[in-house]
Amino acid sequence: MGEWSKKIGEYGEDVVEKFLSIIGWHEPVKGITIPCSMQNGEHKNDRGESVKTHGIDFMYSYMNPLIDNQLNNVIISSKYSMEKYPNSPTQKFKWFMTDLINTMQCFGCSGKKTEISEQYSCSSINDIGVLFWLNGAKNSNDDLISSISSARIDIECNNPIYIVDNRHIVFILELMKYIKSLQNYNYSFYYPSTGLNINPVTRKNTGDFLPVEYINSSLIPFNTSVNFYRKIKS
C-alpha cells in the first residue's frame, strides 16, 4: 500500500481522476456548475452564506448493469488534504456530506440532468453521490469509514452516497496493479445477477467498468478464466 499512499501525496486531487480511469470511468465530466434551486437561501456554504450555484468536481453517467434500463448519474465530490484525518472527523464529514446532498438536490431539478438523460434510453434514473475524502499524510491508511459510521446527517437524502477513504482507494489501486501485472492475464469486472437485471436483450455478465455499488466494497468481483476475488485486508 505504500506506493499508492505516496502517489496520493504527490498528486493530490488528481489521483481521483486517475482512479476513475483505472476502474473504467473514462473521461468523466469535470468542473460542472449548476444553479441552486433553493430560492429561500436554504443552501449555504461553509461560512453560513447563501449560495447561488453548486460545483460538481466530477460526474460519470452510465447504464447500470445491475438494474435493467436504469441510468446512473454519479456525482463526485473530491476532498483532499496534506494532513491526516482528524482524530474526531465527524464535524467535517457532516459538512462534506451536507454540501454533497445539497448539490445532488439541485442537480435533480437542473437542466444538466435533463441534458444528460436525453442522451440515453432509460426507464429510470438514479442519482448517486460519491465522496472521496483523501489525504497525502505519510503512511495514512486510516479507516475513516469506521470512524464516521455512527455520524448522523441532519438533512434528508433519498439517494445513495458512497464514501471512499485512503484505505479503500489504496485497496482497489493495489488490486488493479496486481491483476495487470500478471502475464497473459485478461480480466473484466463481473456483474452478478441481482434479480433486477433479467432482461436477456440488455443483460451483461461482464464489462470494463466497476459499478458504483462496489466502489467502497471490501470484495471486488472479476471475471477471468477462473472467477477471481480479492478481499480487503481487515
Side-chain angles (χ1 to χ4, degrees):
M1 288 190 176
E3 179 180 346
W4 277 113
S5 296
K6 180 181 178 182
K7 289 184 181 294
I8 290 174
E10 290 175 346
Y11 298 114
E13 293 184 342
D14 291 343
V15 79
V16 172
E17 187 171 4
K18 177 65 173 177
F19 173 78
L20 298 180
S21 176
I22 288 174
I23 63 172
W25 298 17
H26 299 294
E27 299 183 355
V29 182
K30 298 188 291 184
I32 301 170
T33 300
I34 58 172
C36 180
S37 62
M38 305 301 288
Q39 301 300 318
N40 58 3
E42 181 179 338
H43 289 171
K44 303 181 185 300
N45 60 24
D46 56 355
R47 298 183 298 276
E49 303 165 342
S50 297
V51 301
K52 295 182 179 180
T53 60
H54 297 280
I56 298 174
D57 295 325
F58 300 96
M59 188 168 69
Y60 185 70
S61 299
Y62 65 90
M63 294 301 295
N64 189 353
L66 306 180
I67 300 178
D68 288 337
N69 299 316
Q70 182 182 80
L71 171 64
N72 279 355
N73 292 317
V74 185
I75 299 165
I76 300 167
S77 175
S78 175
K79 304 298 183 183
Y80 176 81
S81 172
M82 283 301 297
E83 300 176 353
K84 68 177 185 177
Y85 296 121
N87 292 330
S88 300
T90 301
Q91 183 176 356
K92 184 171 286 190
F93 168 71
K94 289 175 70 173
W95 161 246
F96 290 162
M97 286 290 288
T98 297
D99 184 50
L100 179 54
I101 292 169
N102 289 346
T103 299
M104 293 175 66
Q105 287 176 346
C106 291
F107 173 79
C109 54
S110 69
K112 188 66 178 179
K113 178 174 180 176
T114 301
E115 174 188 330
I116 292 170
S117 63
E118 289 175 347
Q119 301 174 28
Y120 295 84
S121 176
C122 59
S123 57
S124 65
I125 301 175
N126 191 24
D127 298 332
I128 301 168
V130 176
L131 170 62
F132 284 90
W133 186 0
L134 309 175
N135 69 70
K138 186 177 181 180
N139 299 322
S140 178
N141 288 303
D142 299 336
D143 187 3
L144 173 71
I145 293 177
S146 294
S147 299
I148 51 87
S149 61
S150 61
R152 179 175 179 178
I153 309 302
D154 298 327
I155 61 175
E156 183 178 356
C157 180
N158 297 319
N159 302 85
I161 295 179
Y162 296 88
I163 317 299
V164 182
D165 59 6
N166 272 31
R167 183 169 179 257
H168 276 80
I169 199 171
V170 168
F171 161 62
I172 293 179
L173 290 174
E174 288 286 350
L175 173 58
M176 297 302 296
K177 177 184 174 182
Y178 170 75
I179 291 175
K180 292 180 179 181
S181 72
L182 299 177
Q183 187 175 8
N184 299 322
Y185 198 89
N186 296 319
Y187 76 93
S188 57
F189 294 105
Y190 175 64
Y191 306 145
S193 175
T194 64
L196 299 174
N197 54 353
I198 58 176
N199 188 334
V201 177
T202 58
R203 175 82 171 95
K204 293 183 178 181
N205 293 318
T206 62
D208 59 1
F209 68 90
L210 180 71
V212 69
E213 289 84 356
Y214 291 105
I215 201 165
N216 67 352
S217 173
S218 60
L219 192 66
I220 309 297
F222 289 90
N223 182 77
T224 66
S225 56
V226 177
N227 283 340
F228 177 86
Y229 298 85
R230 183 170 179 178
K231 191 173 182 181
I232 190 170
K233 294 180 180 179
S234 57

